Amino acid sequence: MVETSPTPLEQSTWLEFSTFLSEIPELVAGVDEVGRGALFGPVVAAAVILPDGALPILMAAKIKDSKKLSSSRRTQLAQQICGLAIDWKIGFASTAEIDKINILQATLLAMKRAVLKLKVQPALCLIDGNQSIKDLRLPQQTIVKGDERSLAIASASIVAKVWRDDLVMRLALKYPMYNLECNKGYGSQRHLLALRQYGPSPLHRQSFRPCQIKGLSAE
């Protein structure tokens, strides 16, 4: 199939081409997280600032929410996004922090850390979801299903997902019994069975019910 350039209708589906964002002449950062529902490992967020010139390139590359892409396609797009971005950064909250302050607050903390790491300060942060980041001294706008509506948020979703998956793949070597290389820390059947057999590892989220099982030591 021959690739065609984005039509005005395709453009109109992205917030970057809306009146809402066109009235903001300065830089905008997209912010999204991954790993919120996982049982193992940190929750990870990315903040991405794209130049205007990157928008048609990413649309032509058929960018979309990271959950709707294959692993190989996500990796390709993440490399492209990071190469095009004016700035991008990763922030995360550890398993211990998730257990201490709860997953929602840990998610917002990861997002805040990603934004604060940016060397280029955006005029506005587009935050995926309906929860604002507390004590963020930058203008922000929450966008429900933002990874389907904003190119910058979709880009952040992809970058965060690839970064977190790479981390979990490395940790899988230390904890082979949980099949992490396949489930990426989420509650697959094999993962749940391993939790019942071995109990949780030090990097499992003890505040999550499936991890509150005693088994053989997974140290």
Side-chain angles (χ1 to χ4, degrees), residues 15-211:
L15 284 175
E16 280 77 4
F17 296 96
S18 68
T19 304
F20 164 60
L21 285 186
S22 64
E23 294 175 350
I24 301 172
E26 299 175 83
L27 298 174
V28 173
V31 187
D32 201 3
E33 56 73 30
V34 295
R36 183 168 174 170
L39 305 178
F40 174 96
V43 60
V44 175
V48 175
I49 301 175
L50 296 172
D52 289 342
L55 305 182
I57 296 172
L58 293 176
M59 284 191 298
K62 304 297 183 184
I63 188 173
K64 61 182 75 173
D65 170 14
S66 67
K67 295 183 289 296
K68 298 178 181 179
L69 295 164
S70 67
S71 177
S72 61
R73 187 65 185 133
R74 275 197 303 268
T75 299
Q76 292 171 351
L77 279 170
Q79 293 173 346
Q80 188 172 22
I81 290 162
C82 293
L84 291 168
I86 293 171
D87 196 4
W88 66 274
K89 291 292 184 292
I90 293 289
F92 66 87
S94 68
T95 303
E97 288 173 319
I98 292 168
D99 289 339
K100 183 177 181 179
I101 64 176
N102 77 46
I103 185 59
L104 172 59
Q105 297 307 317
T107 297
L108 296 173
L109 178 60
M111 288 180 165
K112 182 178 180 180
R113 286 170 171 167
V115 172
L116 294 180
K117 284 182 179 179
L118 290 169
K119 294 182 179 179
V120 178
Q121 183 168 303
L124 175 68
C125 294
L126 299 180
I127 312 298
D128 184 52
N130 61 3
Q131 297 285 332
S132 297
I133 299 174
K134 295 180 181 178
D135 302 320
L136 181 65
R137 296 181 180 178
L138 286 171
Q140 59 181 304
Q141 175 66 51
T142 57
I143 308 289
V144 175
K145 294 187 178 179
D147 46 14
E148 299 177 7
R149 300 174 61 194
S150 162
L151 285 163
I153 293 178
S155 296
S157 169
I158 291 166
V159 171
K161 174 67 173 167
V162 171
W163 193 93
R164 187 182 186 280
D165 283 356
D166 286 348
L167 173 65
V168 174
M169 289 293 284
R170 294 194 299 271
L171 294 172
L173 299 175
K174 185 175 182 181
Y175 302 107
M177 66 284 286
Y178 300 110
N179 195 37
L180 298 169
E181 66 277 10
C182 293
N183 59 55
K184 303 302 186 292
Y186 288 84
S188 68
Q189 185 175 7
R190 284 187 62 183
H191 193 175
L192 295 173
L193 287 171
L195 278 168
R196 285 196 284 272
Q197 182 175 356
Y198 301 105
S201 75
L203 293 181
H204 276 90
R205 302 175 184 179
Q206 304 283 350
S207 56
F208 282 36
R209 187 177 297 276
C211 300

